[in-house]
Amino acid sequence: SSKRSSVLTEVDAAEGLTLAGHDCGSLELRLAAEGSRPRLLDGHADAVLAVDVDSAAMRAVSSGADGGVWLWDLRQGIGEALIPLGSPCGCARVIVAEWFGAGRALTGSDCGRLALWGLETKRCERVFDMHLGVVTSIAVDWVKVRAFVGHGDSGLDLVGLEAGDLLVRLSGHMCLVTAISVNWSKARALCGSGDGALVLWDVRRKNPSSF
């Protein structure tokens, strides 16, 4: 059904802003100030799989099953497809944006690629063929330009986003890593997986503690 939501992000509860992505490729924006009347934002040719929102500036990026990435002006209700670098490689399943500083976004795809997008240049700037398998989760350290990536059957890697190199590989999950939260200063990563397990990693020692 075109009404089925594939992703829902509550951006700012105080402002009453929610953004839902649908299987038909549309985004549905609801603002408390506009009552219950939603605005539909059309762009993707297939299901919207991930969004990241800058609620202060009313901007968003989305990625989808069509492999595309869109940058949205939520005030105006308009979007623009970012220019890819070569042909898309499978679904762009996850996206994480840096709204301050350089203005970048990182996507992970079903074919194991990571892609770095410029939000000011509005184009893909780098593609890393990491051969990771399906990328299911990402957490980015934009200061040191590196990211934790959950992928494949149960993989969790720390990769550099300048050279596309593997920095650390953490083994221990029994299922897909679907969520990652990182304290970069303390080198701790809390990861959730598809089997319901939570693992806290001491990244320097590669030591896991399960909950």
Side-chain angles (χ1 to χ4, degrees):
S1 167
S2 63
K3 294 294 185 184
R4 190 160 68 90
S5 295
S6 49
V7 61
L8 174 65
T9 298
E10 183 173 323
V11 180
D12 193 329
E15 296 296 330
L17 189 160
T18 60
L19 190 64
H22 291 305
D23 284 354
C24 64
S26 296
L27 286 163
E28 182 177 309
L29 174 65
R30 291 179 181 268
L31 298 170
E34 298 180 1
S36 60
R37 181 173 56 86
R39 280 192 279 167
L40 290 180
L41 313 178
D42 294 322
H44 288 279
D46 206 336
V48 179
L49 299 179
V51 296
D52 196 330
V53 183
D54 176 10
S55 56
M58 290 287 287
R59 300 181 295 172
V61 287
S62 60
S63 62
D66 57 2
V69 174
W70 282 68
L71 177 64
W72 300 94
D73 180 333
L74 299 180
R75 286 195 180 93
Q76 299 294 322
I78 57 176
E80 182 177 356
L82 303 191
I83 300 171
L85 187 62
S87 300
C89 177
C91 301
R93 189 167 295 278
V94 290
I95 188 167
V96 177
E98 177 200 28
W99 293 109
F100 306 100
R104 296 170 287 184
L106 183 69
T107 56
S109 70
D110 280 4
C111 67
R113 284 182 181 173
L114 300 175
L116 193 61
W117 304 78
L119 301 184
E120 299 298 327
T121 61
K122 298 182 181 179
R123 64 176 59 245
C124 182
E125 298 177 343
R126 298 281 304 276
V127 173
F128 304 104
D129 285 308
M130 304 294 295
H131 306 290
L132 299 174
V134 177
V135 176
T136 53
S137 53
I138 294 173
V140 184
D141 177 2
W142 294 109
V143 175
K144 294 190 176 180
V145 201
R146 54 185 178 166
F148 266 111
V149 181
H151 63 87
D153 292 329
S154 57
L156 180 63
D157 291 344
L158 179 61
V159 300
L161 300 178
E162 291 181 324
D165 52 334
L166 175 65
L167 303 177
V168 177
R169 172 157 289 171
L170 301 177
S171 300
H173 286 276
M174 303 302 294
C175 194
L176 285 170
V177 178
T178 56
I180 309 170
S181 180
V182 184
N183 184 322
W184 294 101
S185 63
K186 294 184 178 180
R188 297 288 190 274
L190 180 63
C191 302
S193 54
D195 57 0
L198 280 175
V199 177
L200 179 63
W201 289 93
D202 180 329
V203 178
R204 294 190 182 97
R205 298 180 180 180
K206 300 184 182 181
N207 184 37
S209 300
S210 298
F211 291 88

